[in-house]
Amino acid sequence: MKKLIALLLASVMMIVAAGCGGGGEQAKDSGKSGGGDKKITMGFSQIGAESEWRTANTESIKKAAEEAGINLQFSDAQQKQENQIKAIRSFIAQGVDIIAFVPIVETGWDTVLKEAKDAKIPVVVVDRDVKLADDSLYVAKIGTDSVKEGNNVFKWIDEYMAKEKKTPRDGGSQYNVVVLEGTVGSSVAIRRQEGFKDAMAKSPNAGKYNILASQTGEFTRQKGQEVMESFLKSYGPKIDILFAHNDDMALGAIQAIEKAGLKPGKDITIISIDGVKGMFQAMIEGKANCTVECNPLQGKLLMETAKKILAGEKVDKLVYVDEGVFPADVAEKTLPERKY
């Protein structure tokens, strides 16, 4: 009898143990098979907040992450590459699912991106470009085509100067251009300048243009104003055209031009890149002539791309957002539609 009771008790214990163990394994397997339901964590390093455009870019990414249900670990590099490298290493240490970053400059990323690859964390480059010995260190680059933006700037200038029958202010045979460049070493500054010069060289009117001066304004309004003041002191009566690598520098330059007693948009033709509301307002007021769009609303595309990568889907190496060209004559109609 005692043996029978002991045998029954042992059987009950085995059934209970099997029940608990089975439930545990099922929960674990459920966790694995439900990987699609696991909240994705993205480490994202932004370069800073140097302009209206950058603020819109950051807001787009934060909003899109929230809407996509992605946990965003956000880091502001404050315009320092060393801060970005530190942030990326922190993301690797945290074991995030994916890393995305806007590179301040083109070079100097090989080592830290190799560390991310070794940790099996995919990397997405956003907005700007990187120059690497091994392009497999990042999965995709999303953002804008900076060379095309530079092309569009010159093409618009060339058509505008002919259409308006503009003549050089110094009475010479060439239009004198001054350029406010972006951050030194940044891919966007390099490629916008490259695109502008390439389009100029290919134009049948190439001989009509002369780049009088070109200097960085660091993508900020204050620096744009300072450098334009310097240009005006050195070349005042000669300047026909200002090309600014972003709208904020152009808006700063407008202040310098007015301070010098000249009429921006009339005495000096002004074109820049970004397409922010402030530039549209300047065009409405007759103080600027054109802005070439650089679309900062890249958040949704970034989150969609991140999800595809983590799901094992193939994505294009380069994915560009749509952009347009907006001259002054469409500014008033277009401004209410602008989202940044």
Side-chain angles (χ1 to χ4, degrees), residues 133-305:
D134 178 8
D135 281 346
S136 74
L137 296 181
Y138 70 95
V139 180
K141 185 262 176 173
I142 70 164
T144 59
D145 187 340
S146 301
V147 172
K148 185 178 179 182
E149 291 162 0
N151 282 167
N152 286 341
V153 167
F154 180 78
K155 288 174 182 176
W156 181 87
I157 286 173
D158 204 18
E159 290 176 8
Y160 179 80
M161 301 305 276
K163 183 179 72 174
E164 297 296 316
K165 295 183 171 65
K166 292 275 188 176
T167 56
R169 289 176 63 220
D170 66 357
S173 59
Q174 289 183 307
Y175 300 118
N176 288 307
V177 183
V178 293
V179 183
L180 287 170
E181 299 177 30
T183 305
V184 174
S186 68
S187 66
V188 67
I190 293 167
R191 283 167 174 72
R192 284 176 181 173
Q193 191 80 338
E194 177 188 324
F196 181 80
K197 286 183 174 180
D198 282 353
M200 183 189 294
K202 291 172 183 175
S203 169
N205 298 320
K208 293 182 179 179
Y209 297 91
N210 171 49
I211 297 179
L212 197 60
S214 188
Q215 185 177 324
T216 181
E218 298 174 4
F219 280 134
T220 68
R221 192 172 303 198
Q222 181 179 345
K223 193 67 177 177
Q225 181 176 350
E226 289 175 11
V227 176
M228 192 65 202
E229 286 173 355
S230 175
F231 285 163
L232 288 164
K233 283 177 184 175
S234 299
Y235 312 105
K238 294 184 176 182
I239 302 171
D240 298 296
I241 299 162
L242 165 65
F243 164 35
H245 282 196
N246 82 339
D247 288 344
D248 275 70
M249 291 189 294
L251 292 169
I254 286 169
Q255 291 177 280
I257 293 166
E258 289 182 315
K259 189 177 175 182
L262 297 171
K263 292 181 179 178
K266 294 182 176 63
D267 293 325
I268 298 175
T269 299
I270 298 174
I271 181 168
S272 56
I273 300 173
D274 273 358
V276 301
K277 288 181 178 179
M279 193 63 175
F280 277 79
Q281 189 57 49
M283 288 192 289
I284 291 168
E285 294 170 5
K287 297 179 180 181
N289 306 91
C290 185
T291 182
V292 171
E293 186 175 39
C294 176
N295 192 341
L297 307 181
Q298 301 167 10
K300 186 177 179 182
L301 182 58
L302 172 58
M303 301 311 152
E304 288 172 352
T305 303

Side-chain angles (χ1 to χ4, degrees), residues 44-101:
F44 180 79
S45 175
Q46 180 60 281
I47 65 172
E50 80 285 359
S51 63
E52 285 183 54
W53 190 98
R54 188 61 57 193
T55 300
N57 182 241
T58 294
E59 288 174 356
S60 169
I61 287 162
K62 287 182 175 180
K63 183 181 178 183
E66 186 179 351
E67 290 175 349
I70 291 176
N71 176 31
L72 189 72
Q73 298 295 313
F74 184 87
S75 175
D76 182 339
Q78 298 179 330
Q79 302 294 329
K80 294 180 180 178
Q81 185 180 29
E82 59 265 33
N83 290 346
Q84 286 198 298
I85 291 172
K86 188 186 292 184
I88 292 170
R89 287 194 168 125
S90 174
F91 296 149
I92 295 168
Q94 291 173 50
V96 300
D97 298 299
I98 191 164
I99 292 170
F101 76 113

Side-chain angles (χ1 to χ4, degrees), residues 26-44:
Q26 188 174 12
K28 197 184 290 182
D29 289 343
S30 174
K32 287 179 183 176
S33 64
D37 297 328
K38 175 182 174 288
K39 192 162 189 176
I40 294 168
T41 296
M42 173 187 288
F44 180 79

